[in-house]
Each structure stands twice: as structure tokens, then as C-alpha cells.
Amino acid sequence: MNLKKLTAKEEEIMRLYWEKGPMFVRELLNFYPEPRPHFNTVSTMVRSLEAKGYLAHHSFGNTYQYYPIVSEEDYGRNTIKGAVSRYFENSYLTAVSALVEEEKISLDDLKELIARIENQH
């Protein structure tokens, strides 16, 4: 799956769709704190997400209810894949080594992960 990169604001909108499910843009606005962004601004971002293949819509007269067509899990996997490609020369081993060196993951956690993978196979 080759997804287009999202801006921070687009990712924020997608998180709301993943959490809340199908919504009209007016409903989406209710989840923003005051002062809320303008309807047209959010509507433009939602249409952009649809053009990028993240959302689709059902028509209700002249209004649309949008819903996610990319799961949060697929987005996360794609984001990790992109980061490994961009920052670790496409080497997952280098990426995991960096996590261990930065103490973001312990050796015990790594051993537990290896055991889990071995048990799955």
C-alpha cells in the first residue's frame, strides 16, 4: 500500500474519523476546541483526504458523510515503512539498532519480541 503523506492537520482529522467513525464535516467541527476552524477550511482538508485515498463519502442530498477507507493500522505501518526508508536506508535492522542504542527499547523487550515471533512460527 503506497499512501500519500499526510500533513499534521490531515492526520488530526483522520484520527477523529478513526475514533468517531463516519461524519459530516459539521459534525467533525464539533470535536475542535474553540475557536473552531472555519467550515470551508476543514471541508477543503476533508476533500484533500478523499483525493489522497484516505476517505470516501456517502451522499445525502447535497451533503456528504465521509468515512475512512484506510485503517489506522495500515496508516501506521505505511508511516513506519516510510521512516525506515527515509532515515535508515531501508534497513529495519538499523532502525531497531537505533531504538536499542537510544534506549527506546530494552534488550529484554527485544528478546521478548523475538520469542513472540518464534512462537508464531
Side-chain angles (χ1 to χ4, degrees):
M1 179 176 287
N2 192 12
L3 299 171
K4 294 188 190 245
K5 190 167 174 16
L6 297 183
T7 66
K9 295 286 185 193
E10 288 172 333
E11 192 171 309
E12 183 180 330
I13 289 172
M14 283 308 300
R15 294 207 184 286
L16 287 168
Y17 276 103
W18 288 321
E19 183 182 320
K20 310 293 184 189
M23 286 183 281
F24 296 94
V25 173
R26 290 219 182 278
E27 292 173 309
L28 180 63
L29 282 169
N30 291 329
F31 295 105
Y32 282 89
E34 292 289 349
R36 291 188 174 105
H38 192 273
F39 175 88
N40 290 343
T41 303
V42 176
S43 181
T44 298
M45 287 191 288
V46 167
R47 286 194 313 275
S48 172
L49 286 164
E50 185 174 32
K52 288 180 176 182
Y54 285 88
L55 295 174
H57 70 265
H58 295 293
S59 298
F60 292 89
N62 62 352
T63 187
Y64 299 145
Q65 182 186 51
Y66 293 90
Y67 58 92
I69 55 174
V70 171
S71 72
E72 189 170 13
E73 294 78 21
D74 284 344
Y75 176 70
R77 274 195 227 56
N78 194 69
T79 302
I80 290 169
K81 182 176 153 188
V84 169
S85 172
R86 214 171 4 267
Y87 302 112
F88 299 100
E89 299 172 357
N90 226 15
S91 168
Y92 284 84
L93 181 58
T94 303
V96 171
S97 294
L99 291 171
V100 172
E101 287 169 18
E102 294 288 321
E103 297 180 2
K104 303 293 184 196
I105 185 171
S106 71
L107 288 175
D108 287 340
D109 289 341
L110 200 50
K111 288 174 186 173
E112 181 184 327
L113 177 60
I114 291 167
R116 260 196 262 159
I117 292 168
E118 286 176 342
N119 287 336
Q120 287 176 355
H121 298 300

